[in-house]
Amino acid sequence: MDIAALNDIALRMVTPGKGLLAADESFGTIGKRFDSINTENTEDNRRDWREMLFRTTRAMEDHVSGVILFDETLRQNAKDGTPLRKLIEDAGAIPGIKVDQGITPLAGRAGENITQGLDGLRERLAEYYELGARFAKWRAVIEISHPEQYVARTPTIGGIKANTHALGRYAALCQEAGIVPIVEPEVLMGGHHSIERCHEVTETTLNSLFTELYEQGVKLEGIILKPNMVVAGKKCFDQASVTEVAERTIKVLKDTVPAAVPGIAFLSGGQDNEIATEHLDMMNKIGGFPWKLTYSYGRALQQSTLFAWQGKAENYDAAQAAFNHRAHMNGLASLGQWSASQDAKAA
Ligand code: 13P
């Protein structure tokens, strides 16, 4: 393993002012996104949508350090025959690949899931390297049960450990293949739980994760962590202020993430676009931590663009304008230089 080469890639992924575009929706997930704009989930539409994003020059060159792709996209060509991967590289960004194969119920653990995809992963990573991917992503999902659920309360320690163990094995295989692993343990924000409960579960999960990474010989200089922010569940009555989210998230990360990790790129997890930007900005305004903090957003980078596009070629320019704007705002947030007035002005 060439740890210096992995560290170089990881540092490029968190270049100040830039972050990651998570465009790795599986067939089912992109179908849900397209449903919201009454667009059919066909191979051509998936290509047109992603080609439009990757050809958005300002956003891509100035604010996207890398793009997480789905298997199909890494192998797909633009309408004129150019590999989509090449559009990303030409913009100075790094192509990456989602390598997990989704979640399945964890045996014997009601309400908990485990991420699949370790079998054959060494061979798949070798092929993805040949295809140009230089980083990968694996998402583990940790779900917090309803606060009043006392039986089958989740997550359990066993459920957390099974998921962080898989993340450790995935990360070790990536580094062996010369690929930087994005390590993503997502504590879901969909429930009724309080911000305190999210704080506690995120802390337990990250502690378990870094124990696994250590035990499996993963070199921390060559990973990127992709965590959730510490927020109250979407259905919780008490929603925290931006400052509280930022302070709690920094606190959990400081308590659990070693300084050797080059960067942390958050998922947006269902937060509204502007709020996801504002949270990141606030953390960078507060500062005082050893890692770069940036974005690896899917929905929070693409939603306004998707609505501007509506699956129609004639909306291409409007969609690119929306993407330029959102990417610019998040780029500013990664530097702690975002402002609500600037966001509203150009929207
Ligand atoms: P969201 O930002 O939409 O949560 O997606 C990021 C991602 O890649 C989740 O795995």
Side-chain angles (χ1 to χ4, degrees):
M1 181 204 315
D2 183 350
I3 186 62
L6 291 171
N7 183 242
D8 277 352
I9 298 167
L11 287 171
R12 271 185 66 199
M13 290 165 71
V14 292
T15 302
K18 295 188 179 186
L20 299 164
L21 168 63
D24 60 327
E25 298 85 0
S26 60
F27 293 128
T29 306
I30 196 73
K32 279 191 231 157
R33 307 281 182 265
F34 282 2
D35 278 350
S36 70
I37 54 163
N38 292 316
T39 295
E40 215 189 324
N41 185 11
T42 62
E43 188 176 339
D44 280 359
N45 282 339
R46 291 192 295 272
R47 177 204 60 205
D48 289 350
W49 161 244
R50 288 166 172 155
E51 179 175 347
M52 183 272 297
L53 290 173
F54 307 158
R55 287 192 190 278
T56 306
T57 321
R58 251 188 317 127
M60 290 294 298
E61 288 181 356
D62 296 347
H63 304 298
V64 175
S65 56
V67 184
I68 316 175
L69 301 170
F70 185 57
D71 182 89
E72 175 188 61
T73 321
L74 187 60
R75 304 171 192 277
Q76 209 169 22
N77 291 336
K79 237 180 188 154
D80 68 3
T82 313
L84 290 179
R85 165 189 57 77
K86 187 153 186 313
L87 298 183
I88 295 167
E89 289 167 349
D90 288 349
I94 312 171
I97 181 78
K98 182 225 298 290
V99 300
D100 70 66
Q101 296 178 323
I103 60 174
T104 190
L106 185 60
R109 300 273 176 186
E112 289 184 285
N113 291 297
I114 181 76
T115 304
Q116 319 181 86
L118 286 173
D119 288 351
L121 182 55
R122 175 177 277 131
E123 292 72 26
R124 288 196 292 130
L125 286 167
E127 190 196 2
Y128 286 140
Y129 189 93
E130 288 303 312
L131 288 168
R134 289 296 175 268
F135 67 87
K137 178 190 113 171
W138 177 289
R139 173 174 176 258
V141 177
I142 308 292
E143 188 160 356
I144 300 178
S145 55
H146 192 284
E148 282 157 25
Q149 185 164 341
Y150 300 109
V151 180
R153 190 167 184 259
T154 69
T156 62
I157 289 294
I160 289 173
K161 277 192 179 168
N163 275 289
T164 57
H165 180 78
L167 277 165
R169 289 189 55 202
Y170 141 82
L173 282 164
C174 285
Q175 292 194 333
E176 178 190 86
I179 288 179
V180 170
I182 295 181
V183 178
E184 179 179 2
E186 175 173 4
V187 177
L188 296 177
M189 62 175 283
H192 291 78
H193 54 272
S194 63
I195 191 168
E196 288 82 4
R197 179 81 176 123
C198 178
H199 190 136
E200 171 186 66
V201 171
T202 303
E203 183 175 348
T204 306
T205 302
L206 291 175
N207 272 320
S208 169
L209 174 66
F210 282 96
T211 302
E212 283 291 344
L213 294 177
Y214 177 71
E215 287 179 356
Q216 292 177 57
V218 175
K219 300 287 178 236
L220 297 185
E221 295 85 347
I223 73 162
I224 294 293
L225 176 68
K226 176 163 174 167
N228 53 283
M229 296 178 195
V230 176
V231 292
K234 268 216 148 170
K235 296 180 204 146
C236 177
F237 182 71
D238 262 334
Q239 290 295 320
S241 67
V242 169
T243 307
E244 184 177 1
V245 169
E247 285 175 347
R248 280 186 183 271
T249 304
I250 292 172
K251 167 91 174 99
V252 159
L253 295 173
K254 277 191 172 174
D255 284 346
T256 58
V257 183
V261 172
I264 297 175
F266 292 100
L267 59 96
S268 59
Q271 297 183 40
D272 290 342
N273 293 355
E274 286 79 7
I275 292 286
T277 306
E278 200 174 350
H279 283 152
L280 175 64
D281 180 66
M282 183 58 80
M283 286 185 249
N284 281 310
K285 280 190 164 76
I286 294 170
F289 34 76
W291 343 265
K292 298 276 185 303
L293 288 196
T294 188
Y295 47 94
S296 175
Y297 292 164
R299 281 162 287 180
L301 261 178
Q302 296 180 73
Q303 205 161 41
S304 51
T305 312
L306 191 70
F307 283 114
W309 180 57
Q310 292 291 323
K312 298 192 175 85
E314 66 261 32
N315 294 334
Y316 201 98
D317 290 350
Q320 290 197 324
F323 184 39
N324 273 328
H325 177 62
R326 213 59 247 142
H328 183 207
M329 292 303 110
N330 283 302
L332 289 173
S334 78
L335 302 167
Q337 293 173 4
W338 172 87
S339 70
S341 56
Q342 195 174 356
D343 204 332
K345 212 174 0 171

